[in-house]
Amino acid sequence: MDPQTLDPQAAYHRPGDLDAALRLMAALRPTVLAGGTDLFPATQRPALTGPVLDITAIAGLSGIAETDGGMRIGAATRWSAIAGAPLPAALEALRQAAREVGAVQIQNAGTIGGNLCNASPAADGVPPLLACGAEVELASLRGRRRLPLAAFITGPRRTALAPDEIMTAVILPRAGLAGRSAFLKLGARRHLVISIAMVAVRVECAGGRIGRAAIAVGACSAVARRLPAVEAALAGQPLEAPVIDPAAVAAALAPIDDARASAEYRSLAAAELIGRALAMAIGPEREAA
Amino acid sequence: MSLDAAADAGTAAITVNGLTVALGDAARARRLSDWLRHELGLTGTKTGCDAGDCGACTVLLDGAPVCACLTPLGQAAGRSVTTVEGLDRAGMARLQDAFLRHGATQCGICTPGMLMAAAALLAREPHPDRAQVETALAGVLCRCTGYAKIIDAVLDAGRPAEPPGSRALGARIARLDGPPRVTGRARYGADEIPPSCLTVRAIRSPHPHADFAFGDLAAWAAARPWVAAVLTAADIPGRNRFGVIPPFADQPALAEGRARFRGEAVAIVVGEPGPTEMADLSDFPVRWTPLPAITDPAAAAAAEPLHPDRPQNLLTAGRVRRGDVAAAMAGAAHVVEGTMRTAFVEHSPIEPEAGVAWLDGDMLVIRASTQAPAMDRDDTAAVLGLPPERVRTIPSACGGGFGTKLDLSVQPLIGLAALRTGRPCRMVYTRTESMQATTKRHPGRLRARIGADQAGRLVALDFDAEFDTGAYASWGPTVANRVPVHATGPYRFAAVRAEARARHTNNPVAGAFRGFGVPQGALCLETLLDPLAEACGLDRLEFRILNALRDGDATATGQVLRGVGIGECLRALRPHWADALAEAEAANATARGPLRRGVGVASCWYGCGNTSLPNPSTVRIGITPEGRPVLHQGATDIGQGSDTVITQIAAEALGLPVDAFTLVGPDTLLTPDCGKTSASRQTYVTGRAAAAAARALRAQILRLANAGDEARLSLGEGGLCVTDAAGTRPVPLGPAGPDGYALRAEESYDPPTTALDADGQGTPYAVYGWGAQMAEVEVDTALGTVRVLRITAAHDLGRVVNPLLAEGQIEGGIAQGLGLALMEEYLPDRTENLHDYLIPTIGDMPDIVPILIEVPDPEGPFGAKGLGEHALIPTAPAILNAVRHATGVRPDRVPLLPHRLREALR
């Protein structure tokens, strides 16, 4: 865009209600801005070029609520709100991820919906939500629809979001809120890392054994994914020493070689992290048993 | 929320530091940081990356810390913003004072961000613990301090200020230039924004090697009314070749038809700030013809030369030979050999290169962030075809250098733009530009073979290093010469053969980085000493003590040493070593999981100042008619503390307190040349010049007062007085001369060195500094990760001028050494930002136990030696040796990324 034509007032919209936002989406196809933690780093300009639709003032788009079917997290909910909210043990992985999305400055700005729509293979929010069977709610003037998160993210930086749609919420169905969870992220430094590998594990235990396990791994394939075969193999295992088969983990992933790590290492690290996250998640159960 | 209507109607306001500011028609999609800095002039909020990676721009939004660079103005509307300029008002003056008292600010560029993040924590938790502090500050990167003193300051922020204690030489005084750094008043390269100034942006090569041709530049510019000028190499009036070492000067300020590395500038666009900064320059009329690029240094020797006069792409080679290495090696009882490979390391000062140029009459004035004002002046003048006296450089506050700001960056470009447009011209590198276009640490492929006799005495060293020096010379010759001289480490060898070569590639220009190649050499040598010690059946620390250089020993260059402190440093580690070994052994004996502890040690020595080349400093001190001393000091303080240390030395030699001094400079018009801030030379070389000038001035004063040398000087209501057995009396100073001073003295000092002959024999340095560090690590053998638990660092400073600043240098050097060892690897096109290029965060730092040793050097001022670079050298090899102790594996490549260690452990 020629900077001469950049009209600062017309380029930026921050409506207070969803209808106005959806009308703008239909009419302008603007860039959707929430926390800004991905949009601003993508440009070296002092301002975003318009048109920009800032969704952070839209009523009902922020906040965490219990619903009949489970829980609903507004798409514009900031990570710090998630980290500080009373959440069930099944969402402990999500809380831990929220605390590692950058540092506090990023957590105070970045939103859960933005993390999903940006669709980075290393998005911190994705594995914990996959492990809970999360769905996303999308809205446009044409109506609202729900998609499983796994179907929403279609590739690295690609989603099923239509050009006129806004993500309005992350939906956590009741079934995914059972049990306990844990999240682990591995990088070459302590804070502010784009991870080499990350895992979220959710387990439901009964009678000293693992009942159901949900395992999701990020940064080890183009899109973070669940590992059904590894999950199935865990069912019925004793809490004391559940066994993870590294070969099964590797078979379920398709990691790449890059500057951060080799593909082989990623598979190996994922298996190790799954074991550790599993121990974290079932620790309290074991103590109670 | 009700903000929507207000924001869209353009009537909203923001409360900034308690004042309501109308937003007017400011673009709501603008970064809050840009608005604060440019519209409100609140330049205390720093921008280091514009990507939320460095946290320097942290402000409080309704009390919560956010990155102002990621916050659209529209989201701040109707809310309250607190910046560093408002901290005092927010009741955080004690926090600022604690930062000064603890030495928590060095270059100061991260300080506003650190203060804001800490203020948010203290507002909700007035008495935080260390873990809370680390979590709260984790989003702000610091490249200078190693974070230790920042944590201490925040933990101690509740304590009221106390009256200053002793201010004598050796006292722990807070840095004299500290207050502006904690209030946001210090002005860095990007903070000088004259009215009516133009913005300069560079067009850079996207290819590592390419020919290029321009299209119709005039038409392109004419179609854009905001463009004031488009300038290329054809517009450069002088010699379009710069370089820090004149005989090797080879780098064009703007490339001439061929770009030799990715990020090389080929043209500049000069225009009105707003539209120039918003413009998309991807349609700039330049056509690229990519050429085959040499990116693997191993292929460089056989490839076509980048510079026709440098066959085999060899820039230069250095070597040292002493004794018969073949015979000594053949007679050795034990021999080890091995290799080491290191990567490009990016300095990553949190302040990218920035500055402004303007015309003052026919004087071109350049105010930019630099380590070398006089060299900048001379090189910029040559490029612009001006005599040096028509260029004045006034360094801005420098937000970190570490060697990268010794070379020209923005200076010739803004100078050219100012000359051509007649208006002030300003340029601020983006983080990506800074990473692409500036120098890096030389990657090395090193190999050494070391022999010891039956008793464990080192007898022979055969050492070879091949360095990738990138596309242009920069400091490559210095690295090639310095490395062989230092190849032995601070150890006695009977026979030495050491050679280093700097070879051109189409990779980034490799230049000066804290240690000039010596850290790479130490990585190779020190990681081979451990297996050799074991082969000799000796404890690794005792093996080093046995072989440490002593007074009267000759180095591999044949120089007989005095003031050698390495033995003292190593012996100071003994009790810590025994404890650490016992602790690690106990931990490993009971370990059931994948964690293993290890302990390692490594040493350093480092010659202070240029290698066998002159590098004088000149200091002038005047006494005003009122008796006040004014110190004209041309050394740039890039955070290391020379403003404070040089004043302390001058004060001691003159006999007046530090607080009596007024500081002038650096400024090439007002201060004599104190050379560059590099090679750990300022405390020693400029310190010697300052001491000489102060002593000369003292002699004049005493003569005037007819007093003997034992007389005391004082400065009070009655002006300058002397006190001796005859009592106290004022010094009859007389009127001011044309320079404003009643008395003045100017003295120079140049280290007494000699050239090295073909075999590297001679006296390359007049003073060396010494050190030894011990690392304790915990290795996760399943994941290949390394956590450094503690570093105990003994450094010989000869005479400690200021322990607070000395500890800061050690802690900061260790942070960079840790980064070198474990995470830092610059890859063009892949790590051109601060989230893909990793530097240590607050959470990566170990406990650091500094031990300051004083073995006076006969040449140093009051016995003092340099320290700045020394502190980095032993850290990485000590960590690698600790990893080997923990795992049995000797890493032969850094950074030791988790996958590399895991691979080695298989």
Side-chain angles (χ1 to χ4, degrees), chain A:
Chain A
M1 162 174 292
D2 189 318
Q4 293 300 294
T5 66
L6 179 66
D7 175 348
Q9 293 303 306
Y12 175 86
H13 305 272
R14 191 168 188 247
D17 68 83
L18 185 60
D19 272 356
L22 297 180
R23 281 194 303 275
L24 284 163
M25 286 302 292
L28 294 177
R29 298 287 151 85
T31 302
V32 177
L33 164 68
T37 57
D38 288 308
L39 284 183
F40 277 110
T43 180
Q44 301 189 329
R45 294 187 172 101
L48 300 175
T49 47
V52 169
L53 172 62
D54 185 331
I55 61 167
T56 56
I58 296 173
L61 227 62
S62 301
I64 302 168
E66 291 218 34
T67 60
D68 290 345
M71 289 184 80
R72 176 188 174 89
I73 304 178
T77 305
R78 315 251 186 198
W79 285 112
S80 51
I82 293 169
L87 295 174
L91 292 183
E92 187 57 25
L94 184 66
R95 184 206 307 283
Q96 287 163 348
R99 288 183 173 148
E100 293 202 41
V101 178
V104 62
Q105 290 90 331
I106 303 301
Q107 294 158 23
N108 281 336
T111 65
I112 188 169
N115 193 251
L116 302 182
C117 290
N118 189 50
S120 160
D124 295 300
V126 176
L129 292 172
L130 285 178
C132 293
E135 300 174 356
V136 296
E137 182 188 80
L138 311 175
S140 69
L141 283 183
R142 298 175 286 114
R144 293 198 186 204
R145 60 177 178 141
R146 272 197 198 185
L147 279 180
L149 177 58
F152 173 72
I153 301 177
T154 55
R157 311 261 169 204
R158 285 205 315 274
T159 70
L161 198 67
D164 62 342
E165 275 181 322
I166 294 173
M167 181 184 289
T168 47
V170 175
I171 308 290
L172 298 161
R174 176 85 55 211
L177 295 176
R180 299 178 172 278
S181 71
F183 173 80
L184 280 175
K185 173 176 171 178
L186 174 67
R189 71 177 174 188
R190 173 69 188 82
H191 297 289
L192 321 174
V193 289
I194 296 170
S195 55
I196 294 168
M198 66 177 111
V199 306
V201 170
R202 185 175 61 86
V203 281
E204 298 167 45
C205 306
R209 292 185 177 271
I210 293 172
R212 235 194 308 257
I215 296 170
V217 176
C220 292
S221 42
V223 176
R225 60 174 67 156
R226 287 275 293 263
L227 275 55
V230 179
E231 293 172 2
L234 278 171
Q237 289 207 35
L239 295 187
E240 282 316 310
V243 178
I244 308 282
D245 175 11
V249 172
L253 299 172
I256 54 161
D257 276 316
D258 70 8
R260 282 188 273 274
S262 65
E264 187 190 1
Y265 174 81
R266 282 194 157 91
S267 290
L268 179 154
E272 179 69 25
L273 292 174
I274 290 169
R276 293 183 190 188
L278 192 61
M280 283 164 65
I282 65 181
E285 296 278 347
R286 211 155 39 194
E287 277 157 31

Side-chain angles (χ1 to χ4, degrees), chain B residues 346 431-437 440 826 831-833 837:
Chain B
E346 154 64 25
R431 174 56 57 183
T432 298
E433 243 182 331
S434 175
M435 295 191 115
Q436 287 179 351
K440 307 280 169 280
Y826 179 80
T831 64
E832 294 171 349
N833 57 60
Y837 185 80

Side-chain angles (χ1 to χ4, degrees), chain B residues 26 105 162 183 187 204 353 360 400 453 490 526 546 584 752 831 861:
Chain B
T105 181
E162 44 195 57
T183 57
R187 299 183 79 78
R204 297 184 181 279
E353 292 68 18
D360 180 3
D453 68 14
E526 290 282 351
L546 173 69
T831 64

